[in-house]
């Protein structure tokens, strides 16, 4: 049976997804003004809008089909973000040139003083998929060693490739690899601070970084898989509220309040039947000192900003220690996982 392939486009802030089954046909259209977050629920692709509405976009026969569709959506969103970044950079250069010309002519026309300050043009990085909104500034106290937006911000000449996105005709494999290496370095530095992560395992040669939300259905479904992978790899979870928002925050903060060696048990309790997110405000995780919890809240805020700034499409999102996105279909097959991880050494 011929595998279904998918692609997606973004035009006028509308995302349209297509399949090749029995000819090219549209599957769904999503208005990006609604700031959707995309995620998988078994073999279905879902979208959660900014006000909490959840929509079934597409349902297939196998989870790998839904994941291929999610990858196509991710690629289209990243391509759109790069185009807008390049446009902003070009407009900034034009504005700078116009202002420089005006400064040169200014003293004659306006008799400006010789010590008049030069015009200042602020270049602002484009951020966030899929909402395409500007991410808030990171807290100074607990921000990542290098902000994701700084790491991914394009040069004025060309937009930089996003880590995990397929190479296009405008970017080389070296550029994509450089972006992946920068992402891996950022995550490794952040994890080394023991503020932002829940370590499920350690002592292995290779590492997997997981952005997960305990309120996310697919995170719940895949938690046993992450625990199984933790026997072969270091699995470090960056908790985020990308899916559950205010519902997830009170679940995650008490976990990050704990010392790193105690977080695993508290995190796993959130996914136990009858515990955690099913009983908000009861005993979803052990309590901690208010000062520690204040720091944990700031750490969670940094994780949320990183998730948005890197334009990850949904949770869970898994990154290998070389910066590549690890597909769920690969993680489910031990042989495929070994092959995937052996393709590139740790950065």
């Amino acid at each position: 049976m011929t595998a279904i392939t998918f692609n997606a486009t973004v035009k006028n802030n509308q995302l349209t997804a297509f399949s090749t089954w029995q000819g090219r046909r549209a599957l769904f259209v999503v208005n990006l003004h609604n700031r959707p977050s995309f995620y998988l629920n078994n073999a279905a692709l879902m979208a959660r809008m900014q006000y909490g509405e959840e929509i079934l976009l597409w349902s297939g026969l196998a989870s790998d089909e839904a994941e291929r569709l999610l990858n196509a959506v991710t690629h289209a969103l990243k391509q759109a973000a790069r185009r807008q970044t390049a446009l902003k950079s070009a407009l900034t250069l034009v504005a700078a040139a116009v202002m420089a010309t005006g400064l040169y002519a200014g003293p004659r026309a306006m008799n400006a003083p010789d010590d008049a300050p030069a015009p200042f043009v602020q270049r602002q990085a484009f951020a966030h998929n899929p909402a395409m909104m500007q991410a808030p500034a990171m807290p100074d106290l607990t921000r990542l060693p290098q902000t994701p937006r700084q790491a991914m911000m394009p040069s004025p000449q060309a937009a930089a490739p996003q880590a995990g996105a397929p190479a296009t005709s405008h970017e080389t494999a070296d550029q994509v690899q450089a972006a992946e290496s920068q992402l891996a370095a950022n995550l490794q530095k952040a994890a080394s601070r023991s503020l932002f992560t829940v370590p499920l395992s350690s002592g292995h040669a290779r590492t997997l970084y997981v952005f997960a939300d305990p309120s996310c259905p697919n995170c719940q479904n895949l938690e046993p898989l992450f625990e199984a992978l933790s026997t072969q790899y270091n699995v470090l979870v960056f908790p985020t509220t990308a899916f559950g928002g205010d519902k997830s925050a009170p679940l995650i903060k008490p976990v990050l309040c704990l010392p790193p060696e105690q977080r695993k048990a508290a995190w796993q309790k959130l996914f136990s039947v009858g515990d955690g997110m099913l009983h908000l405000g009861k005993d979803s995780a052990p309590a901690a000192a208010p000062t520690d919890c204040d720091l944990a809240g700031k750490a969670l805020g940094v994780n949320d900003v990183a998730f948005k700034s890197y334009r990850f499409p949904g949770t869970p999102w898994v990154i290998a220690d070389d910066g590549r996105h690890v597909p769920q279909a690969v993680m489910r097959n031990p042989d495929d996982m070994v092959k995937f991880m052996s393709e590139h050494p740790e950065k």
Side-chain angles (χ1 to χ4, degrees), residues 6-10 14-19 25-32 36 38-40 44-47 49 55-59 65-66 68-74 76-77:
F6 303 96
N7 57 66
T9 61
V10 175
Q14 298 280 337
L15 170 74
T16 306
F18 303 88
S19 79
R25 64 187 183 91
L27 300 177
F28 56 81
V29 178
V30 177
N31 186 346
L32 298 180
F38 301 90
Y39 65 96
L40 299 178
L45 178 63
M46 309 287 293
M49 303 305 176
I55 299 175
L56 172 63
L57 299 177
W58 183 86
S59 181
E65 292 180 346
R68 290 201 304 272
L69 177 55
L70 176 61
N71 289 338
V73 168
T74 303
L77 292 168

Side-chain angles (χ1 to χ4, degrees), residues 137-144 147 193 196 298 302:
M138 291 187 176
D140 290 337
L141 180 62
T142 59
R143 67 181 179 183
L144 293 170
T147 66
R193 298 182 64 181
F196 312 103
K298 293 177 180 178
V302 171

Side-chain angles (χ1 to χ4, degrees), residues 198 200 210 212-214 216-230 235 237 264 267-272 316:
V198 176
L200 298 186
V210 181
D213 183 334
C216 158
N218 212 35
C219 296
Q220 300 165 29
N221 294 336
L222 292 179
E223 181 64 19
L225 176 60
F226 296 142
E227 293 181 18
L229 289 170
S230 70
V235 178
V237 178
K264 175 181 177 179
W267 178 258
Q268 291 175 334
K269 186 178 180 182
L270 298 181
F271 297 88
S272 300

